[in-house]
Amino acid sequence: MHQPLPQPLSISKASILIFRMMLLTCLSLTPVLAADSVMPGEIEENATIENVDFKWFIEGDDNLDCSVQVEYRKGSLTEWTPAQPLLRVEPGSYNDDNIDPGNLLAGSIFNLNPDTEYDFRLTLSDPDGGTAVETRTVRTRHVPQDPANPRIRYVIPGGGGGSGTEADPFQGISTANAAAEPGDIFILEPGVYTGVAALTTCGTPENPIVWRGTDVSQVIFDGESITKPVVDLTSSEYVHLEQVSVIRPKHMAIRGYTTTGVVIRKCMIDVTVPTTYEMGGIYLLGAGHRDALISENIIQGHLNWEDGRDEDAYAINVLGKGHVISFNEIYDWYDAIHIGAGDGSIETSSCDVYGNEIYNCTDDGIETDGSRHNIRVYKNRFTNVLTGISCQPIYGGPVYIHHNVVYNWQLKPLKFHLWPTGIIVYNNTFVGADPRGWGGGQWRNTIARNNLFLGGSNPGYSGNPICLYTEGVRADLDWNGWYQAYEGRFADFNGPLYPTLEDFQSATGMELNAKLIDISIFLDAEEPILGPYLGEGGFFEPYDPGSQDLRLAPGCTAVDGGIILDNIHDNVSGLTADLGAYEEGYPIPGYGPEGAEPTAGINRPIAVSHFQFYNASPNPFRDLTTLRFDLSISTSVTISIYDLTGRTIRTLAPSAYRSSGPHSLVWDGRDDQGRDIQSGVYFCRISAGDEQKSRKLVLLRE
């Protein structure tokens, strides 16, 4: 007997429809969730003389919440030191230039030693999924030096002839250049060299070709106002020009195309004689430039501050990667230094600008317009400028702006126009004449910490005296000091007026740790005088560089008013970081040629330290964290824990004599009464003899 066949299940049309809708919903959600998670891609690294940077390309992370933590150490050491995290670069274009930097994170590690190998550990994570840990070993570049075994040759002015010996020198630059070989040092004897000095024969990294004057004031390359350029570095590689004067160019004094490893050092460039052309100092134009060093030069333009704003004229204008522009004295220009030349079609990244003395510039002190990633502008001093530092725009970033001093800016300290994205502004001192301490601009993805913004106390050009007046998207502002000259006018940010700092804090959630300050925080400084708008008819008498003592007065609000930033503050004098460029108790850094070390290229005054305070481990922590330090000498040591207000929470070790060598102790997250303290940020300070060092601790309770 046949069994009846099983009947198919009865499924209603409504059930089928519901099932299809659920399936489509799941399918539609899957790509969204996957796009929010991160997938690591390739890593690109670059090194300059004292900094290293990375770009880590990724896929996914559409909601821009992944992060990369960075640690570093010298190759022979085992302790990892935290650095600043990489910046999450915003993909896409935000202005009419239509330049998309790509999907990546980028960032820099500062304050490294030249020609030294370091290990770096990068940890990628995303709350939506995806993680990776990568290590890289990178060596910083050495300060360019002479060949180890040079051939010395001699040059005098002339039109040809000579064998290059001291008794029979080459007559003229072109004759010497035609005979040049890697490893040659050309001694330029006193005299006036006319015509184009084409230094186009290439050296190598180990054996550069060096052109060196015997006396910078006596060895003169004269353009006679008819030669452009006076010095030609077209396609030059590893060519050094040192200790010569370059005068009277028709257009620009020194020009190069597609250069690698060129050095322009300890020269005097005089562009005080105007022609009908736009005047320029040192220009590296077009694509293909790498690793130039422009250092310890004096570069004078033809503009006069008291005559007001004039035509474009740049002292230094460069494109490319890996350039170091340091310890130059630059004055009487429209713009002093331009990194990126406003040309976003050519990638300009991984460049350093530091230690420069810049004054009497009728437009911008430093421009980063057109640059992309890891541009570092730090420890420069600006006096008498229309605006201090320009990012108009930059594409992706980061551009780091830290520990600069800008005094007597007439319009604004920062020119963030045309929606630049990716700017990090740390520990700068901005003292200007217009009341808008940060005025104007439209920008994105910007972080500002520990800065001093002091505008003037007058109504200003706009008649809108307000200390923060700007537009920003993905803004992160905190721990800054602000001078509010007029009651009821603290900020106009993205449109609304915020009468007080408290109103701004409540509405935006930013600047929760800000300070209100005034000119009295400095040891000896006066408010700059506001001149005519854009210098029409001439700015007022300029201030001398360094005439204002912008160090902090002891006990003022800005002392210990900031937050310690990894790798930016390797040492602080107090409980935590001060606001502004000058940490209390530390010497003012050197600016210009006199601020450089005798070997050139770097200036890092290092106090003799007798102890090393390592990072706590673990940190963040829940219950226990271990604090370790090494003493190089036996001395008295005190160890204390403080909260953000500076209140002592726990004295872990009262003052006691400790022997040299390694030491450690454990903090259990309790105060002096044995009570568990709440989650938050704390600081551990170790005082050893006359030295003090602090480390940030993060306690996370269950």
Side-chain angles (χ1 to χ4, degrees):
M1 186 174 176
H2 296 288
Q3 298 291 326
L5 294 173
Q7 297 298 309
L9 294 173
S10 176
I11 303 176
S12 69
K13 291 182 179 180
S15 299
I16 295 174
L17 180 60
I18 292 171
F19 174 76
R20 287 177 175 173
M21 291 175 65
M22 292 174 62
L23 180 61
L24 289 172
T25 300
C26 291
L27 291 174
S28 66
L29 284 175
T30 302
V32 173
L33 296 173
D36 282 345
S37 62
V38 68
M39 181 179 296
E42 65 178 58
I43 296 175
E44 177 183 314
E45 68 254 13
N46 287 282
T48 57
I49 293 169
E50 60 178 50
N51 302 308
V52 167
D53 60 68
F54 293 94
K55 295 191 291 186
W56 193 339
F57 293 89
I58 59 171
E59 295 181 11
D61 190 39
D62 286 355
N63 57 356
L64 305 179
D65 66 346
C66 76
S67 63
V68 172
Q69 301 302 314
V70 181
E71 300 164 287
Y72 69 102
R73 65 185 182 185
K74 282 189 181 180
S76 60
L77 300 179
T78 58
E79 289 293 333
W80 291 99
T81 299
Q84 288 291 292
L86 300 189
L87 177 75
R88 179 59 170 104
V89 173
E90 281 191 300
S93 174
Y94 298 94
N95 55 42
D96 294 338
D97 295 343
N98 297 316
I99 295 173
D100 185 346
N103 199 12
L104 72 154
L105 298 96
S108 300
I109 300 89
F110 291 87
N111 302 321
L112 307 177
N113 293 321
D115 195 22
T116 303
E117 190 172 273
Y118 289 86
D119 296 328
F120 299 90
R121 183 165 65 189
L122 302 120
T123 303
L124 170 67
S125 61
D126 191 322
D128 305 302
T131 184
V133 178
E134 295 284 348
T135 58
R136 294 290 187 274
T137 299
V138 184
R139 179 175 288 275
T140 51
R141 298 206 318 254
H142 66 277
V143 178
Q145 304 290 341
D146 288 349
N149 298 293
R151 178 175 61 167
I152 307 299
R153 317 188 81 177
Y154 295 86
V155 187
I156 62 173
S163 61
T165 65
E166 189 172 10
D168 183 28
F170 291 121
Q171 297 180 36
I173 299 296
S174 60
T175 303
N177 183 65
E181 296 179 5
D184 284 348
I185 295 179
F186 289 94
I187 304 300
L188 304 173
E189 299 288 359
V192 178
Y193 297 76
T194 58
V196 177
L199 311 180
T200 53
T201 300
C202 296
T204 67
E206 296 78 18
N207 287 293
I209 296 174
V210 180
W211 301 83
R212 178 175 295 140
T214 55
D215 184 332
V216 69
S217 66
Q218 299 296 317
V219 179
I220 300 170
F221 289 12
D222 188 352
E224 302 177 295
S225 297
I226 59 174
T227 301
K228 72 164 190 175
V230 181
V231 178
D232 183 11
L233 296 172
T234 297
S235 301
S236 300
E237 297 183 7
Y238 305 104
V239 172
H240 299 189
L241 177 64
E242 301 178 351
Q243 297 177 192
V244 304
S245 290
V246 184
I247 70 171
R248 295 200 298 170
K250 178 181 180 180
H251 187 358
M252 57 198 71
I254 301 173
R255 184 191 66 195
Y257 292 102
T258 320
T259 66
T260 300
V262 299
V263 174
I264 303 168
R265 183 161 52 191
K266 298 184 179 179
C267 294
M268 295 183 67
I269 299 173
D270 184 337
V271 191
T272 56
V273 179
T275 68
T276 57
Y277 286 76
E278 175 189 321
M279 307 301 291
I282 301 169
Y283 278 46
L284 301 180
L285 301 175
H289 294 285
R290 282 207 67 101
D291 299 345
L293 173 64
I294 302 172
S295 186
E296 297 179 80
N297 304 287
I298 298 175
I299 310 175
Q300 182 179 4
H302 71 285
L303 302 181
N304 186 334
W305 174 258
E306 293 179 83
D307 290 340
R309 210 156 176 244
D310 209 323
E311 76 276 5
D312 287 357
Y314 299 92
I316 299 174
N317 194 5
V318 300
L319 290 154
K321 298 181 180 180
H323 305 319
V324 175
I325 302 173
S326 60
F327 300 109
N328 301 285
E329 182 179 353
I330 303 172
Y331 59 101
D332 293 350
W333 292 90
Y334 187 76
D335 297 315
I337 299 173
H338 197 171
I339 298 288
D343 187 351
S345 66
I346 298 172
E347 181 175 348
T348 297
S349 295
S350 305
C351 295
D352 297 339
V353 184
Y354 58 88
N356 298 285
E357 182 83 88
I358 295 169
Y359 55 100
N360 300 353
C361 290
T362 59
D363 194 56
D364 301 329
I366 292 177
E367 293 182 342
T368 63
D369 308 356
S371 64
R372 298 204 188 177
H373 308 296
N374 291 307
I375 304 297
R376 297 169 285 261
V377 178
Y378 59 102
K379 296 181 182 177
N380 302 282
R381 182 165 64 186
F382 308 75
T383 311
N384 313 320
V385 292
L386 184 70
T387 63
I389 300 167
S390 174
C391 302
Q392 183 176 280
I394 54 113
Y395 309 106
V399 166
Y400 293 91
I401 300 170
H402 79 80
H403 286 92
N404 300 283
V405 173
V406 185
Y407 181 79
N408 192 25
W409 47 266
Q410 287 285 301
L411 186 62
K412 60 187 71 176
L414 302 171
K415 186 194 288 185
F416 294 174
H417 291 183
L418 305 179
W419 295 108
T421 176
I423 311 171
I424 298 175
V425 187
Y426 290 157
N427 277 97
N428 299 280
T429 296
F430 300 124
V431 183
D434 190 86
R436 295 177 296 177
W438 182 346
Q442 316 84 26
W443 43 266
R444 303 180 61 92
N445 200 25
T446 292
I447 304 168
R449 296 282 188 277
N450 296 352
N451 301 285
L452 292 171
F453 293 98
L454 290 91
S457 59
N458 56 80
Y461 297 131
S462 66
N464 181 23
I466 192 165
C467 64
L468 173 59
Y469 180 79
T470 188
E471 298 177 51
V473 177
R474 300 189 74 216
D476 184 0
L477 315 180
D478 202 0
W479 300 94
N480 298 295
W482 300 92
Y483 172 52
Q484 181 177 350
Y486 289 82
E487 185 177 349
R489 303 190 63 77
F490 175 75
D492 184 332
F493 185 72
N494 291 336
L497 173 67
Y498 301 102
T500 67
L501 171 60
E502 292 76 14
D503 294 329
F504 181 78
Q505 293 169 329
S506 177
T508 67
M510 293 191 292
E511 290 293 8
L512 299 181
N513 298 283
K515 304 284 192 299
L516 293 177
I517 45 113
D518 59 36
I519 199 77
S520 68
I521 65 170
F522 300 118
L523 281 177
D524 186 12
E526 65 181 58
E527 179 183 314
I529 300 172
L530 183 67
Y533 180 64
L534 300 181
E536 296 173 357
F539 294 112
F540 295 150
E541 182 178 353
Y543 295 85
D544 291 332
S547 62
Q548 309 296 307
D549 192 339
L550 298 175
R551 292 175 295 174
L552 298 177
C556 76
T557 307
V559 172
D560 280 352
I563 186 170
I564 293 175
L565 303 167
D566 291 331
N567 190 227
I568 301 297
H569 304 113
D570 289 335
N571 290 298
V572 297
S573 59
L575 170 64
T576 184
D578 296 342
L579 300 184
Y582 298 147
E583 181 78 11
E584 185 190 30
Y586 282 71
I588 294 176
Y591 302 106
E594 294 182 358
E597 294 179 354
T599 53
I602 59 171
N603 174 47
R604 194 182 307 112
I606 300 176
V608 177
S609 178
H610 296 300
F611 80 100
Q612 177 69 41
F613 185 8
Y614 300 106
N615 294 295
S617 180
N619 189 27
F621 70 102
R622 296 189 184 280
D623 299 305
L624 303 173
T625 188
T626 300
L627 308 167
R628 299 190 305 106
F629 60 98
D630 290 344
L631 297 175
S632 61
I633 61 172
S634 299
T635 187
S636 61
V637 175
T638 303
I639 305 174
S640 302
I641 305 294
Y642 298 84
D643 65 13
L644 285 172
T645 68
R647 181 170 58 95
T648 303
I649 299 298
R650 177 83 174 270
T651 301
L652 287 174
S655 181
Y657 195 78
R658 292 178 183 253
S659 61
S660 62
H663 298 266
S664 66
L665 70 165
V666 174
W667 181 37
D668 58 6
R670 297 183 179 183
D671 63 14
D672 280 328
Q673 285 71 46
R675 299 170 299 194
D676 288 340
I677 63 172
Q678 64 184 8
S679 297
V681 176
Y682 298 88
F683 294 94
C684 178
R685 181 170 67 190
I686 296 182
S687 300
D690 295 331
E691 294 182 71
Q692 295 180 342
K693 295 183 181 180
S694 298
R695 288 288 181 264
K696 181 173 68 175
L697 308 174
V698 180
L699 174 60
L700 298 176
R701 296 291 188 192
E702 293 284 354

